[in-house]
């Protein structure tokens, strides 16, 4: 068994290590009496990927979905589905008590039968009146009849024809009403308008449905094989986005997984704010007596979801890639001092021959928050100074020796 050293020996080792460090700094100070003691953070130029991205948050929603509502009032007699169930277009979802609608249809059919019988009677009367008019017309030609009889026959023929036309109009009106009643009867059986997954069912069997003023939503069907990400981008960044630019996103439930895609659309106007609070398209911030409003625009893109890993209402951390450099020489942004920002020229402090710190001008390309691509001025393996601190608070002289 290995035995740990006694506490006295451990304290001795710790004091000895600290003493070595202090002695090293003291020796360095003696070798460079004119320079302040320096603590430098160095970095070695290497290769990596640099991405210039616009970051935003988004909500994942089904690409295609439909809210299924009830178009008639009545008691929900049967509910044939449940949440999470897969349905196909045309499947029976629910049934509403059809008693009231069935009664209206029966009344309409009876009224149409009555009007059809009346029409037959009126047509018979019209045919008789037309025959009477023909006889009176013949008698009038040979001057054998009276003028009053002819006028009477002509009036009765026209009256009979008008009654036939009125009854035909009533039949058409009854047919229209009957067609509407039959449609209402058909609405008591609710069918799936599309294939997909039932992601919400808001009704219960036995519930009374009231659709007098608006159609109540009973359930939602969504196609989860493809999702749309609704991303909120601030007005400061939205001008950097272009249709078709590459992007990727992550979710809280899959921290090690990246989904890729391309930007498809940027809505021209932000969502309308909600009265009394911040909308999903605008956020208010500020303190004291004033407040500022951040305007957010909606950017949309689609992503395949064959395995069903993405679910509605998931939060997505989206990265729109404005520029990218792979396998590039990289330098920490903290090491750069801008000399000509427009042309990408900066200066860096690097370790020269013999450990001397010298400045060198470099030109950078793509940059992100932490690193920048080196296009000119540095080579792989060279050491640069990222930051330093002196004992008197002043920066060290360029050209001193580490």
């Amino acid at each position: 068994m290995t035995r740990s050293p006694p506490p006295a020996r451990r304290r001795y080792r710790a004091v000895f290590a600290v003493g070595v460090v202090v002695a090293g700094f003291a020796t360095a100070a003696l070798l460079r009496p004119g320079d302040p003691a320096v603590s430098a953070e160095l970095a070695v130029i290497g290769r990596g990927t640099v991405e210039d991205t616009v970051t935003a948050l988004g909500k994942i929603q089904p690409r295609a979905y439909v809210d299924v509502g009830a178009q008639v009032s009545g008691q929900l007699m049967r509910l044939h589905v449940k949440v999470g169930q897969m349905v196909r277009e045309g499947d029976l979802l629910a049934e509403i008590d059809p008693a009231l609608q069935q009664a209206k249809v029966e009344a309409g059919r009876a009224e149409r039968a009555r009007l059809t019988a009346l029409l037959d009677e009126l047509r018979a009367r019209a045919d008789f009146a037309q025959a009477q008019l023909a006889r009176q017309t013949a008698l009038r030609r040979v001057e054998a009849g009276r003028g009053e009889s002819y006028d009477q026959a002509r009036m009765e023929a026209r009256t009979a024809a008008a009654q036939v036309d009125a009854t035909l109009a009533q039949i058409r009106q009854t047919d229209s009403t009957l067609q509407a009643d039959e449609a209402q009867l058909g609405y008591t059986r609710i069918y799936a308008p599309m294939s997909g997954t039932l992601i919400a069912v808001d009704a219960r069997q036995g519930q009374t449905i009231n659709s007098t003023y608006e159609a109540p939503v009973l359930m939602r069907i969504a196609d989860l094989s493809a999702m749309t990400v609704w991303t909120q981008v601030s007005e400061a960044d939205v001008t950097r986005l272009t249709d078709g630019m590459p992007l990727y996103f992550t979710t809280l439930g899959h921290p090690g997984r990246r989904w890729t895609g391309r930007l498809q659309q940027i809505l021209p106007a932000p969502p309308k704010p909600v009265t009394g609070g911040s909308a999903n398209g605008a956020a208010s911030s500020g303190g004291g007596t004033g407040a500022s409003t951040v305007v957010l625009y909606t950017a949309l893109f689609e992503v395949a979801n064959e395995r069903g890993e993405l679910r509605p209402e998931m939060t997505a951390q989206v990265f729109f890639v404005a520029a990218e450099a792979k396998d590039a020489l990289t330098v920490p942004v903290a090491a750069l001092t801008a000399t000509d920002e427009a042309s990408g020229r900066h200066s860096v402090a690097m370790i020269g021959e013999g450990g001397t710190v010298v400045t060198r001008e470099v030109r950078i390309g793509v940059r992100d928050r932490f690193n920048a691509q080196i296009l000119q001025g540095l080579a792989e393996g060279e050491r640069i100074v990222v930051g330093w601190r002196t004992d008197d608070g002043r920066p060290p002289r360029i050209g001193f020796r580490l």
Side-chain angles (χ1 to χ4, degrees):
M1 177 183 299
T2 302
R3 302 180 62 182
S4 61
R9 184 175 298 176
R10 289 197 300 269
R11 287 195 297 271
Y12 169 76
R13 290 180 178 177
V15 172
F16 177 78
V18 173
V20 171
V21 174
V22 173
F25 277 106
T27 303
L30 291 175
L31 293 176
R32 301 191 311 274
D35 290 329
V38 177
S39 173
E41 180 184 353
L42 304 180
V44 179
I45 300 299
R47 291 189 175 274
T49 299
V50 182
E51 289 181 341
D52 179 14
T53 60
V54 174
T55 306
L57 288 178
K59 284 290 185 182
I60 300 175
Q61 299 290 358
R63 179 185 62 180
Y65 69 90
V66 62
D67 290 327
V68 181
Q71 295 180 269
V72 295
S73 301
Q75 186 180 28
L76 186 60
M77 295 180 60
R78 289 190 178 183
L79 191 62
H80 298 279
V81 292
K82 59 183 179 180
V83 176
Q85 180 176 337
M86 294 286 296
V87 297
R88 293 186 177 275
E89 182 179 355
D91 286 352
L92 181 62
L93 304 178
E95 295 180 70
I96 298 175
D97 184 6
L100 180 61
Q101 289 74 20
Q102 185 67 51
K104 290 182 178 180
V105 169
E106 292 297 333
R109 290 173 178 171
E111 177 64 13
R112 193 187 191 290
R114 185 188 70 81
L115 290 175
T116 301
L118 178 61
L119 179 62
D120 292 340
E121 177 185 352
L122 293 176
R123 280 176 172 168
R125 292 179 180 273
D127 291 342
F128 177 76
Q130 191 65 34
Q132 287 289 92
L133 177 60
R135 285 193 290 269
Q136 290 296 329
T137 302
L139 292 174
R140 185 178 182 182
R141 287 175 182 172
V142 296
E143 297 181 357
R146 295 184 304 172
E148 294 84 353
S149 299
Y150 172 79
D151 293 338
Q152 181 72 25
R154 187 174 63 175
M155 181 194 68
E156 290 180 354
R158 290 182 177 180
T159 301
Q163 289 176 343
V164 169
D165 292 339
T167 304
L168 286 172
Q170 287 182 333
I171 290 177
R172 288 195 296 269
Q173 181 180 6
T174 301
D175 287 341
S176 177
T177 302
L178 179 59
Q179 185 178 2
D181 291 339
E182 289 175 341
Q184 291 289 317
L185 178 61
Y187 293 152
T188 60
R189 294 172 63 86
I190 302 174
Y191 298 91
M194 63 174 286
S195 300
T197 304
L198 277 166
I199 62 174
V201 177
D202 300 323
R204 298 291 179 268
Q205 189 165 300
Q207 177 181 343
T208 300
I209 306 299
N210 184 4
S211 60
T212 304
Y213 300 105
E214 61 180 357
V217 176
L218 304 183
M219 60 196 71
R220 173 174 288 189
I221 302 175
D223 180 8
L224 302 182
S225 63
M227 310 295 280
T228 299
V229 182
W230 293 67
T231 310
Q232 302 300 317
V233 183
S234 69
E235 59 179 320
D237 294 327
V238 72
T239 54
R240 300 182 60 196
L241 303 186
T242 57
D243 291 347
M245 70 185 304
L247 58 90
Y248 62 89
F249 69 92
T250 61
T251 62
L252 294 176
H254 306 85
R257 171 77 185 276
R258 278 190 181 187
W259 282 266
T260 60
R262 290 190 176 274
L263 178 60
Q264 292 178 294
Q265 182 184 13
I266 303 173
L267 299 187
K272 293 183 179 180
V274 178
T275 304
S278 299
N280 58 358
S284 298
S285 62
T289 57
S292 62
T293 301
V294 178
V295 179
L296 301 176
Y297 289 83
T298 303
L300 304 176
F301 63 92
E302 295 180 2
V303 59
N305 189 38
E306 292 87 355
R307 299 172 59 183
E309 295 176 306
L310 299 176
R311 298 173 180 269
E313 300 297 332
M314 275 187 171
T315 301
Q317 181 78 25
V318 184
F319 300 87
F320 299 94
V321 182
E324 182 182 31
K326 295 182 177 180
D327 193 29
L329 292 178
T330 61
V331 60
V333 173
L336 298 174
T337 301
T339 57
D340 187 356
E341 192 75 34
S343 62
R345 298 191 177 277
H346 296 70
S347 63
V348 298
M350 62 170 298
I351 308 302
E353 295 181 359
T356 303
V357 178
V358 295
T359 59
R360 183 181 293 181
E361 186 177 82
V362 298
R363 187 164 62 90
I364 67 171
V366 181
R367 63 181 294 175
D368 57 23
R369 293 173 55 190
F370 305 104
N371 298 296
Q373 176 194 14
I374 292 295
L375 299 178
Q376 182 181 351
L378 289 173
E380 187 174 359
E382 291 185 314
R383 295 184 301 162
I384 61 171
V385 178
V386 178
W388 43 36
R389 182 177 56 193
T390 60
D391 57 359
D392 61 359
R394 295 178 300 171
R397 293 181 292 107
I398 297 300
F400 79 95
R401 186 180 300 275
L402 285 176

